[in-house]
């Protein structure tokens, strides 16, 4: 599983951080900072999917 993040689409809702703090931090303005680039280990993989599903801006994408 690979995760991609689109900074231009991100609106800084912090939902990804609240749902998957292992995978996302936030900057001072609330925009996401991905903590893992590219391939995601299996265990937080489901949280990556949860974060992507709950990002209303479609800024997070998951590829198998
Ligand atoms: S949930 Fe989406 S829009 Fe909100 S901070 Fe995370 S990546 Fe950005």
């Amino acid at each position: 599983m690979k995760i991609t993040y689109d900074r231009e689409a991100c609106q800084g809702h912090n939902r990804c951080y609240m749902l998957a703090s292992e995978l996302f931090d936030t900057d001072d303005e609330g925009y996401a900072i991905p903590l893992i680039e590219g391939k995601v280990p299996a265990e937080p993989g489901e949280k990556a999917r949860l974060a992507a599903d709950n990002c209303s801006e479609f800024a997070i994408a998951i590829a198998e």
Side-chain angles (χ1 to χ4, degrees):
M1 174 187 294
K2 286 186 177 179
I3 187 167
T4 59
Y5 165 69
D6 181 350
R7 173 63 180 82
E8 296 297 316
C10 178
Q11 294 298 309
H13 305 133
N14 286 341
R15 282 180 145 189
C16 53
Y17 172 71
M18 288 188 281
L19 293 168
S21 59
E22 304 95 325
L23 299 172
F24 296 95
D25 199 352
T26 58
D27 67 15
D28 291 342
E29 297 177 336
Y31 291 93
I33 300 172
L35 299 177
I36 297 176
E37 297 283 347
K39 195 169 182 184
V40 178
E43 189 176 334
E46 287 308 311
K47 286 199 169 185
R49 221 180 295 277
L50 187 66
D53 288 347
N54 284 276
C55 177
S56 57
E57 308 304 326
F58 305 104
I60 301 168
I62 304 294
E64 299 300 328

